[in-house]
């Protein structure tokens, strides 16, 4: 996987769909040259991938898409977030630098060494982070040109039990956490998500994870771009930490499809 364009996939949806399902953390793939920079041995790396990967979220997005009359677009990361994390700031603005988990991680979920402390992550940022961000920006630009609005639904999962790296993990851990942004998450988008995911035993907002992903070109300045993060607690649909999916996956996909359909037909979202 030397071709940078192979580090992500853009799966086209309906021409009139404003929705982009963004799946940034579902892959376990690490190119060999990047693997050589990681200090964990193979068994330890597999355990780390179990904890850090949002397993089966690409499958959830695909299953939801198949249920939609108007198919959303999908932007799916093909590499592990241990290569680069496309949802971090690539500079000092990133608060996760405090635990060694900026755009290029140097520490693990359990705050152990992942790379050498003096590792220079800039080559990975240039090789993978910036092209990914540019492609996602282009995808949003295309939806704006085609439909006049873009709705990014960020598909994530999170562990039932708090992991040591979490900076804000002492709050509630509901079955479904909805991450919102003060500028880019309209009230009706949040309301539709709460309705769609009402059958899982509770939803919460911005706990234990908050915010959502918007390309920096549009962040905080273009209200035509709306966004919401869906964080699915992993016991809802899979065996933890990195096991197989269960019957809950189909239920989650159905709820996500309901949300996609609702925001597709509603220009207010």
């Amino acid at each position: 996987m030397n071709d940078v364009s192979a580090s992500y996939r853009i799966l086209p949806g309906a021409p009139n769909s404003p929705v982009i399902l963004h799946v940034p953390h579902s892959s376990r793939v690490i190119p060999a040259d990047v693997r050589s920079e990681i200090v964990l041995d193979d068994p330890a790396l597999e355990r780390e991938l179990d904890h850090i990967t949002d397993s089966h979220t690409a499958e959830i997005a695909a299953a939801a898409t198949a249920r939609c009359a108007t198919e959303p677009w999908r932007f799916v990361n093909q590499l592990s977030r241990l290569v680069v994390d496309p949802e971090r700031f690539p500079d000092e603005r990133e608060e996760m630098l405090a635990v060694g988990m900026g755009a290029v991680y140097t520490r693990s979920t359990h705050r152990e060494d992942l790379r050498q402390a003096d590792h220079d992550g800039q080559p990975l940022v240039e090789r993978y982070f910036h092209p990914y961000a540019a492609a996602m920006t282009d995808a949003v630009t295309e939806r704006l040109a085609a439909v006049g609005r873009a709705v990014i639904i960020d598909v994530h999962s999170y562990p039932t039990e708090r992991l040591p790296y979490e900076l804000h993990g002492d709050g509630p851990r509901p079955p479904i956490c909805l991450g919102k942004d003060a500028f880019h998450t309209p009230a009706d988008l949040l309301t539709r998500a709460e309705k769609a995911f009402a059958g899982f035993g509770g939803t919460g907002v911005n706990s234990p994870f908050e915010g959502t992903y918007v390309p920096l070109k549009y962040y905080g300045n273009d209200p035509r771009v709306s966004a919401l993060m869906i964080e699915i607690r992993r016991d809802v649909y899979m065996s933890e930490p990195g096991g197989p999916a269960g019957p809950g996956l189909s239920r989650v996909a159905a709820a996500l499809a309901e949300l996609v359909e609702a925001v597709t037909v509603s220009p207010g979202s």
Side-chain angles (χ1 to χ4, degrees):
M1 193 177 291
N2 294 321
D3 181 2
V4 170
S5 66
S7 69
Y8 55 83
R9 288 187 70 197
I10 303 173
L11 295 100
N16 62 331
S17 174
V19 178
I20 300 172
L21 295 180
H22 182 219
V23 187
H25 295 155
S26 64
S27 177
R28 298 171 70 101
V29 173
I30 302 174
D33 61 323
V34 181
R35 169 65 182 97
S36 68
E37 300 174 344
I38 293 175
V39 301
L40 301 178
D41 63 24
D42 287 348
L45 178 57
E46 288 302 308
R47 288 193 297 273
E48 179 62 14
L49 286 167
D50 285 344
H51 289 298
I52 200 66
T53 305
D54 292 352
S55 299
H56 314 297
T57 48
E59 297 170 49
I60 290 170
T65 297
R67 291 172 174 265
C68 292
T70 303
E71 290 193 354
W73 294 62
R74 282 177 285 155
F75 194 110
V76 184
N77 191 0
Q78 300 293 287
L79 297 179
S80 169
R81 64 197 290 190
L82 297 185
V83 180
V84 295
D85 191 333
E87 295 212 316
R88 303 291 199 233
F89 288 111
D91 52 35
E92 67 282 349
R93 289 173 293 177
E94 179 52 58
E95 70 168 353
M96 293 301 291
L97 285 169
V99 289
M101 298 178 83
V104 178
Y105 298 175
T106 57
R107 306 280 281 180
S108 74
T109 52
H110 289 72
R111 301 200 179 194
E112 299 166 341
D113 288 341
L114 184 74
R115 292 180 170 92
Q116 298 290 346
D118 61 353
H119 178 267
D120 180 9
Q122 195 58 34
L124 290 177
V125 169
E126 297 295 334
R127 180 178 171 188
Y128 293 116
F129 183 98
H130 290 316
Y132 186 106
M136 185 64 181
T137 301
D138 289 346
V140 171
T141 300
E142 290 170 6
R143 290 303 85 213
L144 291 174
V147 191
R149 62 191 179 105
V151 184
I152 302 167
I153 299 178
D154 220 13
V155 185
H156 291 261
S157 70
Y158 76 100
T160 303
E161 300 296 329
R162 179 181 184 175
L163 290 172
Y165 83 93
E166 296 179 25
L167 293 179
H168 309 291
D170 52 353
R173 303 180 82 84
I176 305 294
C177 164
L178 303 174
K180 71 171 186 176
D181 177 82
F183 185 90
H184 290 282
T185 309
D188 57 349
L189 175 56
L190 186 63
T191 298
R192 286 184 172 88
E194 290 170 337
K195 179 181 178 183
F197 288 95
F200 293 90
T203 59
V205 177
N206 282 352
S207 177
F209 298 97
E210 65 179 37
T212 189
Y213 178 85
V214 176
L216 289 177
K217 176 179 177 179
Y218 296 107
Y219 185 69
N221 62 61
D222 196 331
R224 298 176 301 163
V225 180
S226 55
L228 181 74
M229 178 172 66
I230 310 293
E231 285 271 6
I232 309 149
R233 202 176 65 202
R234 291 176 188 157
D235 63 336
V236 168
Y237 73 94
M238 64 172 283
S239 297
E240 297 181 83
L249 186 146
S250 180
R251 293 182 60 231
V252 171
L256 180 58
E258 179 184 333
L259 173 60
V260 170
E261 294 274 59
V263 302
T264 297
V265 301
S266 172
S269 297

